[in-house]
């Protein structure tokens, strides 16, 4: 098989890819909505200790981006899943209004850029952690510097701390958990028609 044929097979979206990506995104929308409710519960105690620590909770909003790419393994999967998930949260009644869509696009883009930098050929644990951190970085920057950012009044030091915490949360919650979930799904055989079907036996670091 030629290199061109391999690339076409790897990068061309099939109906199955679109359907599964949509399912991940829809489930992600529900997760987003529930995660937002949880944010309300932790905001008061966290703010009493050190407000930027709230960034450590942000990773849950980035799961669809990393999980979608780890399963689909096609260009655009992270951006698609995260954006559609954000749309789902908006339709369910997001407390963040339409800004949730902007957050979804940026977080999906943060993860997408990491996988793109790896030429969509690395889906191991380090790649997942980096993608989650990338999504977290874009989340932190958006929250801290966009006109609609909720912590735009933070000092420069607190903004930096928040961004770092978001990146850490993205790496651990979205990156590590999505990687573990993908391996678990692969073991059940439900990913048999996807490039991620051998995820359970793929090397962790190479």
């Amino acid at each position: 098989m030629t290199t061109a044929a391999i690339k076409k097979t790897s990068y061309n979206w099939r109906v199955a890819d679109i359907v599964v990506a949509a399912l991940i995104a829809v489930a992600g929308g529900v997760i987003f909505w529930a995660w937002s409710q949880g944010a309300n519960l932790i905001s008061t105690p966290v703010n009493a200790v050190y407000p930027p620590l709230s960034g450590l909770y942000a990773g849950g909003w980035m799961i669809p981006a990393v999980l979608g790419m780890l399963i689909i393994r096609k260009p655009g999967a992270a951006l698609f899943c995260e954006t559609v998930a954000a749309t789902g949260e908006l339709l369910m009644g997001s407390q963040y209004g339409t800004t949730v869509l902007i957050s979804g696009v940026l977080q999906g883009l943060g993860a997408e850029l990491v996988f793109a930098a790896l030429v969509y050929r690395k889906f191991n644990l380090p790649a997942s952690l980096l993608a989650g951190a990338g999504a977290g970085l874009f989340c932190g920057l958006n929250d801290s510097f966009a006109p609609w950012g909720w912590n735009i009044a933070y000092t420069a030091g607190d903004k930096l701390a928040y961004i770092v915490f978001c990146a850490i949360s993205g790496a651990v919650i979205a990156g590590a958990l999505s990687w573990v979930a993908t391996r678990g799904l692969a073991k059940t055989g439900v990913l048999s028609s996807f490039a991620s079907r051998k995820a359970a036996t793929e090397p962790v670091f190479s």
Side-chain angles (χ1 to χ4, degrees), residues 5-22:
I6 293 175
K7 289 185 176 180
K8 183 177 181 180
T9 300
S10 299
Y11 293 169
N12 189 37
W13 280 62
R14 305 165 301 160
V15 173
D17 297 325
I18 297 172
V19 171
V20 170

Side-chain angles (χ1 to χ4, degrees), residues 115-126:
F115 286 113
L118 298 173
V119 202
Y120 299 102
R121 292 180 180 175
K122 291 287 186 179
F123 302 96
N124 53 19
L125 179 58

Side-chain angles (χ1 to χ4, degrees), residues 36-136:
S36 295
Q37 307 315 303
N40 295 330
L41 297 176
I42 70 164
S43 60
T44 299
V46 168
N47 287 335
V49 178
Y50 182 50
L53 283 172
S54 60
L56 291 174
Y57 183 80
W61 284 299
M62 305 161 208
I63 291 174
V66 183
L67 181 61
M69 180 61 80
L70 291 180
I71 291 176
I72 306 300
R73 302 191 177 186
K74 303 284 178 68
L79 183 58
F80 175 86
C81 290
E82 190 74 8
T83 301
V84 177
T87 302
E89 181 187 359
L90 176 63
L91 294 175
M92 285 186 284
S94 173
Q95 61 185 321
Y96 304 111
T98 56
T99 62
V100 71
L101 292 178
I102 300 173
S103 297
V105 170
L106 291 175
Q107 289 161 190
L109 182 61
E112 188 77 36
L113 289 175
V114 171
F115 286 113
L118 298 173
V119 202
Y120 299 102
R121 292 180 180 175
K122 291 287 186 179
F123 302 96
N124 53 19
L125 179 58
S128 301
L129 295 176
L130 285 173

